Amino acid sequence: MRLALSLAKKGEGKVSPNPMVGAVLVKNGKLIAKGYHRYFGGPHAEVEAIQRAKDKARGCTLYVTLEPCSHYGKTPPCTQAIIRAGIRRVVIATLDPNPINSGRGVQELKKAGIETELGVCEEEATKVNEAFFKFMKKKIPFVVVKVASSLDGKIATSKGESKWITGQKAREFAHRLRDKMDAILVGINTVISDDPSLLAPSKDSLARVILDSKLRIPLNSKILKNQDKADTFIFTTSKADRQKLCELKSRGIKVAIVKEDQDGRVDLEEVLKKLASLEIMILLVEGGGKVIGSFFDKGLVDKLFLFLAPRIIGGRNSLTWVEGKGVDLLSQTPHIEVSSLRKIGQDLLLEGYVK
């Protein structure tokens, strides 16, 4: 099963909004074949393993990291492929959280006389597909915040200088992180001050999302010049400039007017629901401080990647990485469950989950 889980991870960033799945076929203690879900719309892990095993699949035990599907989607049901292959036993790490399939795949296999076992490495399997599980259960994306900060929590000097706080290796790691995401989100202040392109080095399908309540985005922004490389979505409010709205739409930029929150900004919950409807399952939030603060204020952050550079910037007017309203009492603070702390080049990377 752990081999199957390592295979599943190879699909990271390529199969969304489907789950990552790995499969291994074994007979008489010997590995017969293995497979994983390689890309969205491609053969599922079980089918790939069966196709590789051919006639040798008969009488095998199949280890699979997620309950085999029993419904028609982009591909036919995996349960039928398993039954036809003559597989004797199926060991499953965890049930599928998708209500269309959850429990039905197991029932179909049992009905066909196939021995099934459930719950082997269940915790690890759930973590591999943590974004998929949330997406299925809550119908909004899994939200990851990525920050590059000085040791005293600053992301820019009082003069606005922010390039580069962290070193080259940390920046390379951060760019590779984008390859694992479906979309990247920033606020309009980041667009105006940094003029980023927000492209992933090896992933053309990374969507770019901008929160811009008054539609202040400059029409010559880099992010508006790369429509052939990535989709761009701008979320604004009824306060948007109508002439600019028409201009952006004529360029193929997807602009959505959403309701305002209590502070007159774009309502984040509605943004996440709309992104989910676009099948964006995992969202990377890169800032700035007001946007990240708003996500924390509303309890919408799932995971944090915090790069800490060995610098002290100081200054009351220097920009910090999380602003927003904050809390009045320490008992109200979100708790970060640190999963790892490691050195990348000259910098530290803290990785954790928000509880």
Side-chain angles (χ1 to χ4, degrees):
M1 187 61 81
R2 289 203 168 92
L3 172 58
L5 285 166
S6 68
L7 290 167
K9 293 174 186 177
K10 291 185 176 183
E12 190 171 27
K14 303 179 183 74
V15 301
S16 182
N18 280 351
M20 294 175 277
V21 183
V24 174
L25 282 168
V26 176
K27 185 188 289 183
N28 299 325
K30 292 183 179 180
L31 176 67
I32 302 300
K34 55 189 179 180
Y36 69 96
H37 189 29
R38 294 173 182 267
Y39 58 91
F40 179 67
H44 287 189
E46 305 95 312
V47 172
E48 183 177 276
I50 290 169
Q51 288 174 344
R52 290 188 171 190
K54 298 181 181 178
D55 293 341
K56 292 180 181 179
R58 185 165 296 278
C60 277
T61 294
L62 171 68
Y63 293 85
V64 62
T65 59
L66 189 72
E67 179 182 13
C69 63
S70 58
H71 63 286
Y72 281 87
K74 290 282 183 181
T75 60
C78 291
T79 50
Q80 291 304 307
I82 293 167
I83 294 166
R84 285 195 304 270
I87 289 170
R88 180 183 63 83
R89 178 169 170 257
V90 178
V91 181
I92 304 164
T94 181
L95 289 176
D96 187 346
N98 188 340
I100 294 174
N101 186 57
S102 188
R104 295 179 185 178
V106 171
Q107 288 176 6
E108 194 166 314
L109 294 175
K110 287 181 176 180
K111 190 176 179 181
I114 296 173
E115 180 187 345
T116 61
E117 183 179 346
L118 182 66
V120 177
C121 299
E122 183 175 9
E123 187 176 341
E124 296 98 312
T126 303
K127 188 172 182 180
V128 165
N129 278 308
E130 58 192 4
F132 179 72
F133 272 74
K134 180 188 177 181
F135 190 70
M136 283 292 117
K137 291 176 179 178
K138 297 191 176 181
K139 309 302 180 187
I140 58 174
F142 186 87
V143 176
V144 178
V145 166
K146 191 276 290 182
V147 181
S149 165
S150 62
L151 287 178
D152 56 334
K154 308 295 185 181
I155 58 172
T157 68
S158 58
K159 301 292 185 182
E161 184 185 357
S162 61
K163 296 181 180 179
W164 298 100
I165 288 177
T166 53
Q168 182 66 28
K169 289 186 177 180
R171 296 200 298 274
E172 289 172 356
F173 184 99
H175 274 87
R176 290 196 299 273
L177 187 62
R178 291 182 181 182
D179 289 336
K180 302 175 182 180
M181 305 292 158
D182 295 334
I184 180 171
L185 181 148
V186 297
I188 184 58
N189 290 332
T190 295
V191 175
I192 292 172
S193 61
D194 295 347
D195 195 20
S197 60
L198 299 182
L199 297 173
S202 59
K203 184 175 183 177
D204 293 338
S205 59
L206 182 75
R208 299 168 302 176
V209 181
I210 304 162
L211 304 183
D212 186 0
S213 59
K214 296 180 181 177
L215 215 54
R216 294 186 291 131
I217 187 167
L219 293 174
N220 62 347
S221 299
K222 287 180 184 176
I223 201 168
L224 300 181
K225 296 178 181 179
N226 297 290
Q227 291 309 296
D228 58 324
K229 295 183 178 180
D231 285 333
T232 302
F233 301 94
I234 299 177
F235 289 93
T236 188
T237 67
S238 58
K239 295 181 289 191
D241 182 294
R242 294 291 163 174
Q243 186 173 346
K244 186 179 281 189
L245 180 65
C246 293
E247 171 66 21
L248 289 168
K249 288 186 175 181
S250 71
R251 294 190 188 187
I253 310 295
K254 300 171 180 65
V255 185
I257 297 175
V258 297
K259 65 184 180 183
E260 300 175 21
D261 63 12
Q262 293 178 340
D263 300 311
R265 299 193 183 101
V266 170
D267 184 84
L268 295 181
E269 285 94 342
E270 187 175 351
V271 168
L272 291 182
K273 288 177 183 177
K274 287 187 178 295
L275 291 177
S277 72
L278 297 169
E279 296 192 323
I280 289 172
M281 185 171 77
I282 181 163
L283 174 68
L284 181 65
V285 177
E286 286 203 355
K290 288 183 179 178
V291 168
I292 292 174
S294 295
F295 271 90
F296 272 104
D297 286 342
K298 296 182 183 299
L300 297 173
V301 182
D302 296 296
K303 194 171 185 178
L304 173 67
F305 285 88
L306 175 59
F307 293 88
L308 291 168
R311 302 174 184 267
I312 301 294
I313 292 176
R316 182 177 295 178
N317 296 322
S318 300
L319 300 179
T320 58
W321 69 267
V322 59
E323 296 179 12
K325 294 179 179 178
V327 299
D328 297 321
L329 301 170
L330 288 176
S331 59
Q332 298 170 337
T333 60
H335 174 70
I336 309 300
E337 185 179 278
V338 178
S339 55
S340 71
L341 180 63
R342 50 188 155 147
K343 195 172 182 182
I344 298 182
Q346 65 184 17
D347 306 302
L348 293 175
L349 170 57
L350 183 150
E351 184 177 342
Y353 292 89
V354 183
K355 301 295 182 182

